[in-house]
Amino acid sequence: MGAPTVLIEKLIAGNECVTAVKTVEKLSRRKIVAIMSAEIGGMNAVEPLAVGAELGLPIVDCDGMGRAFPELQMICPFIYGCQYCPATLVDEKGTIVAVLDCKSPKHLEDLYRSCIVNMGCLGGVAMNPLTKDEVLEKTCLFSISRAWTIGHIVSKACLNNSRPSTALQNDLGAIILIEGKVSSPVEIDIDPDILYNNHFVCFK
């Protein structure tokens, strides 16, 4: 959790998420037998691979949303009512913020966001373990292998000087919705009732 741009200036200890998982296991009194990604986007998609390697645990081919998510309450298991506490947040100094109970995932998100600022804007998070049935019914399955497959196809197409979009169409049956090139951002006014702010940035 935090801002990935912080990594430009701040090093991580490397054991933040491992400590978070171990602490959740102790607090929940449930043995953790596998690791999954909270999201299939950014560092959170690959960090569990390192955690699994460190703990000697397998990685489940799934994630919590099928994309990157802005906040914790947006994860599918929590939308479907899975238990989210106990939860832990750990920084590179070994500081642990453990939440045993909380009103909602949104309240947990808000609490941890306020904590992470004082922890240097970067930390590892682990939440209450899911059961096998919860993983099978309330997560996005096969997202890690799907992401790897897409990346492999795109990389191969680039090496062969061919269009990645065409390769994805041929290999995965992908559909091209729109094509274009970003040339410059343009700020325009829009009805404030539509958005929270009175303007937004589009691209032409």
Side-chain angles (χ1 to χ4, degrees), residues 163-166 168-169 174-182 202-204:
R163 295 182 58 176
S165 57
T166 302
L168 290 171
Q169 281 181 299
I175 300 172
I176 297 177
L177 299 177
I178 189 171
E179 288 187 89
K181 181 178 181 181
V182 174
C202 66
F203 296 91
K204 68 177 183 178

Side-chain angles (χ1 to χ4, degrees), residues 14-194:
N15 60 356
E16 293 89 339
C17 288
V18 171
T19 302
V21 169
K22 288 181 177 179
T23 306
V24 161
E25 184 174 49
K26 183 187 297 183
L27 293 174
S28 66
R29 298 179 181 179
R30 297 168 64 188
K31 182 174 177 58
I32 294 176
V33 297
I35 303 292
M36 64 169 277
S37 300
E39 62 178 341
I40 195 69
M43 285 183 58
N44 290 335
V46 295
E47 179 69 23
L49 303 180
V51 174
E54 178 71 20
L55 297 176
L57 295 175
I59 307 300
V60 183
D61 190 3
C62 70
D63 79 292
M65 197 179 190
R67 49 156 286 184
F69 65 86
E71 297 185 346
L72 293 176
Q73 74 275 10
M74 300 173 182
I75 304 175
C76 290
F78 299 161
I79 293 174
Y80 283 113
C82 293
Q83 181 60 39
Y84 44 89
C85 287
T88 55
L89 171 64
V90 181
D91 68 9
E92 81 285 354
K93 302 176 188 68
T95 305
I96 301 173
V97 179
V99 178
L100 301 181
D101 198 7
C102 198
K103 182 179 179 181
S104 70
K106 174 59 175 171
H107 283 83
L108 179 64
E109 164 72 26
D110 292 343
L111 173 64
Y112 273 175
R113 288 293 170 186
S114 64
C115 291
I116 201 69
V117 172
N118 294 310
M119 298 171 95
C121 295
L122 205 63
V125 174
M127 288 160 285
N128 189 60
L130 300 177
T131 66
K132 182 186 77 169
D133 289 340
E134 286 173 336
V135 170
L136 292 173
E137 298 171 6
K138 300 174 181 178
T139 67
C140 299
L141 301 177
F142 311 117
S143 53
I144 292 180
S145 57
R146 187 181 305 114
W148 184 91
T149 301
I150 291 172
H152 179 71
I153 292 171
V154 170
S155 297
K156 186 177 178 181
C158 291
L159 288 174
N160 295 330
N161 293 318
S162 58
R163 295 182 58 176
S165 57
T166 302
L168 290 171
Q169 281 181 299
N170 294 337
D171 293 0
L172 294 181
I175 300 172
I176 297 177
L177 299 177
I178 189 171
E179 288 187 89
K181 181 178 181 181
V182 174
S183 59
S184 62
V186 179
E187 190 173 287
I188 63 173
D189 292 327
I190 193 169
D191 185 348
D193 293 331
I194 298 177

